[in-house]
């Protein structure tokens, strides 16, 4: 009986340690393999068959059904230009220049990787609204109906995802050097 | 094993070895587990090899992480283990893509509107390693795994264009393909 309890305990502890360490390494190794560009991180191995298993697991958790780089490159920002985590209670200014892809869009997601409740009408901004020149737009907890920007509702933290479809060869080959939007914090409530 | 569990040092060693195994098993099988869960979720609503047309993404969209509010999707949980699957879709004038994902999340097929070479895509997804008879002479894509997901993405170019694009999206199909010679 004692041996059985020891065995069950061993399995439970091993399962917990194994799963937690796997999750931590998935996040760490995926971040380590990403290319950095300002606030943005890019992993061009998404969707590829020969990708590191930790990156594949990260895709399953955070970017399920993402396209491989020949079709789209995804840039993720969880921090502002000063390196601080993006917070829902703050307002930010995003400024940038045209992105070298056929079509692109920036979307705000909550910590659960889903669109943020309260952000209706302001889930994303794209080249359709921003045009083909230099641009800037706000990120704030709430925005008026017809303004261009991203609303973060009551999210405590959020991240930005820049999707670039059919990226140009230069963006595809060297995403770390591309001129990407800069996310600057303006002020915070509390 | 009984002896291994008697001594505390050996018990810790046993837990360590088991934990390492659990670690690698979690990393290796997590993608398959998550894709299988999505496959099951999709086939609870409609039969396998059937296209579905989810509502335009908003904050209530919870089926797949990071949905794009700029796109409308058509999605099909495929299973080619019993035979090939035919996938058809009209191709709009604006950005559109058809992609297929293996059960380990690998994106083994991506065709966009510019590559489609016309206003319609019509292809066969076949079992890994098995060539269908294909009397219709359709392009054949070999699925990387017997089950997975097919997805079309249609860009919503404007609110005015939405009804027409949505109607086109709903013409995408996914169905078993009878590959017997006539």
């Amino acid at each position: 009986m004692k041996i059985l309890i020891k065995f069950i305990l061993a399995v439970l502890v091993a399962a917990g340690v194994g799963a937690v360490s796997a999750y931590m390494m998935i996040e760490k190794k995926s971040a380590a393999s990403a290319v950095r560009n300002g606030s943005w991180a890019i992993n061009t191995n998404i969707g590829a068959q020969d990708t590191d298993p930790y990156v594949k697991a990260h895709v399953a958790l955070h970017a399920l059904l993402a396209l491989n780089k020949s079709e789209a490159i995804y840039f993720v920002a969880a921090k502002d230009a000063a390196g601080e985590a993006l917070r829902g209670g703050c307002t930010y200014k995003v400024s940038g220049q045209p992105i070298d892809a056929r079509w692109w869009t920036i979307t705000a997601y909550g910590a659960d990787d889903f669109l943020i409740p309260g952000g209706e009408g302001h889930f994303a901004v794209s080249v359709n609204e921003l045009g083909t020149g230099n641009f800037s737009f706000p990120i704030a907890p709430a925005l008026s109906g017809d303004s261009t920007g991203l609303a973060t509702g009551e999210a405590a933290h959020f991240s930005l995802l820049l999707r670039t479809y059919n990226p140009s060869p230069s963006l595809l080959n060297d995403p770390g050097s591309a001129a990407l939007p800069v996310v600057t914090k303006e002020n915070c409530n509390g | 094993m009984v002896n291994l569990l008697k001594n505390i040092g050996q018990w810790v060693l046993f837990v360590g070895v088991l934990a390492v195994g659990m670690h690698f098993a979690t990393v290796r099988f997590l993608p398959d587990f998550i894709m299988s869960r999505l496959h099951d979720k999709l086939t609870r609503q409609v039969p396998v090899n059937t296209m579905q047309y989810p509502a335009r993404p908003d904050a209530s969209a919870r089926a797949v992480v990071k949905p794009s509010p700029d796109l409308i999707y058509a999605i099909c949980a495929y299973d080619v283990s019993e035979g090939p699957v035919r996938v058809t879709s009209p191709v709009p004038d604006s950005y559109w893509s058809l992609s297929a994902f293996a059960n380990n999340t690998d994106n083994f097929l991506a065709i966009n509107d510019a590559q489609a070479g016309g206003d319609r895509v019509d292809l066969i997804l076949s079992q890994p390693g098995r060539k269908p008879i294909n009397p219709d002479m359709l392009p054949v894509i070999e699925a990387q795994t017997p089950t997975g997901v097919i997805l079309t993405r249609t860009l919503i170019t404007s609110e005015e264009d939405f009804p027409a694009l949505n109607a086109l999206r709903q013409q995408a199909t996914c169905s078993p393909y009878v590959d017997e010679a006539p």
Side-chain angles (χ1 to χ4, degrees):
Chain A
M1 190 62 177
K2 208 172 162 186
I3 293 292
L4 182 66
I5 291 169
K6 271 186 164 181
F7 177 75
I8 291 169
L9 197 63
V11 170
L12 290 176
V13 171
V17 170
V20 170
S21 67
Y23 181 76
M24 288 168 71
M25 283 299 283
I26 287 166
E27 298 298 320
K28 196 175 169 186
K29 286 195 81 168
S30 179
S33 67
V35 175
R36 297 266 156 200
N37 181 335
S39 300
W40 305 90
I42 313 105
N43 203 317
T44 53
N45 294 322
I46 286 176
Q49 291 178 23
D50 55 355
T51 299
D52 180 287
Y54 289 91
V55 173
K56 228 172 243 197
H58 189 267
V59 168
L61 285 169
H62 301 292
L64 194 62
L65 307 186
L67 293 161
N68 66 41
K69 67 178 178 184
S70 65
E71 187 59 28
I73 304 181
Y74 303 93
F75 300 83
V76 179
K79 294 178 177 175
D80 63 18
E84 293 180 16
L86 297 173
R87 288 169 49 199
C90 301
T91 60
Y92 298 87
K93 181 180 167 189
V94 180
S95 49
Q97 49 187 282
I99 293 163
D100 204 1
R102 180 178 169 202
W103 190 81
W104 57 268
T105 180
I106 302 174
T107 309
Y109 292 99
D112 59 0
D113 289 327
F114 291 106
L115 296 169
I116 302 168
E120 282 74 10
H122 297 287
F123 292 130
V125 290
S126 74
V127 64
N128 286 6
E129 295 91 44
L130 299 173
T132 52
N134 290 355
F135 61 84
S136 85
F137 64 85
I139 301 175
L143 292 167
S144 63
D146 56 352
S147 59
T148 297
L150 297 174
T152 52
E154 294 183 2
H157 288 94
F158 68 94
S159 63
L160 301 174
L161 175 61
L162 165 61
R163 291 176 164 91
T164 62
Y165 290 95
N166 303 155
S168 68
S170 61
L171 185 59
L172 184 63
N173 295 328
D174 191 10
S177 301
L180 297 178
V182 176
V183 185
T184 310
K185 183 160 69 184
E186 297 201 310
N187 56 64
C188 296
N189 297 330
Chain B
M1 187 187 298
V2 170
N3 286 337
L4 196 64
L5 294 169
K6 279 183 180 166
N7 175 292
I8 185 70
Q10 288 174 335
W11 183 85
V12 170
L13 181 70
F14 177 67
V15 169
V17 170
L18 215 54
V20 170
M22 279 299 298
H23 174 104
F24 288 112
T26 302
V27 174
R28 166 63 185 82
F29 295 110
L30 189 66
D32 300 71
F33 172 74
I34 291 175
M35 280 295 282
S36 296
R37 215 173 51 166
L38 174 63
H39 202 273
D40 290 347
K41 198 187 287 184
L42 292 169
T43 52
R44 270 201 298 272
Q45 293 158 20
V46 299
V48 72
N49 300 327
T50 306
M51 198 64 89
Q52 298 180 57
Y53 315 97
R56 186 174 174 174
D58 61 16
S60 67
R62 299 274 148 177
V64 179
V65 292
K66 295 196 172 89
S68 173
D70 302 291
L71 303 171
I72 39 177
Y73 301 93
I75 190 166
C76 167
Y78 78 77
D79 184 348
V80 293
S81 58
E82 298 292 320
V85 169
R86 185 173 184 172
V87 183
T88 70
S89 175
V91 177
D93 293 333
S94 47
Y95 180 80
W96 168 94
S97 70
L98 169 75
S99 49
F101 298 85
N103 206 42
N104 63 355
T105 75
D106 288 357
N107 173 207
F108 65 87
L109 168 71
I111 308 168
N112 62 41
D113 56 294
Q115 297 161 332
D119 59 3
R120 188 165 188 81
V121 160
D122 194 345
L123 57 83
I124 294 172
L125 197 63
S126 78
Q127 231 174 325
R130 184 175 174 274
K131 219 174 164 62
I133 292 168
N134 191 10
D136 300 305
M137 304 292 283
L138 297 170
V140 177
I141 306 293
E142 195 175 296
Q144 192 182 311
T145 52
T147 61
V149 169
I150 295 162
L151 187 71
T152 73
R153 292 167 158 90
T154 303
L155 174 66
I156 305 166
T157 46
S158 70
E159 291 307 316
E160 293 73 41
D161 293 342
F162 176 75
L165 292 167
N166 193 33
L168 270 186
R169 158 187 83 136
Q170 296 193 20
Q171 291 173 32
T173 65
C174 168
S175 56
Y177 181 66
V178 181
D179 65 341
E180 290 164 5

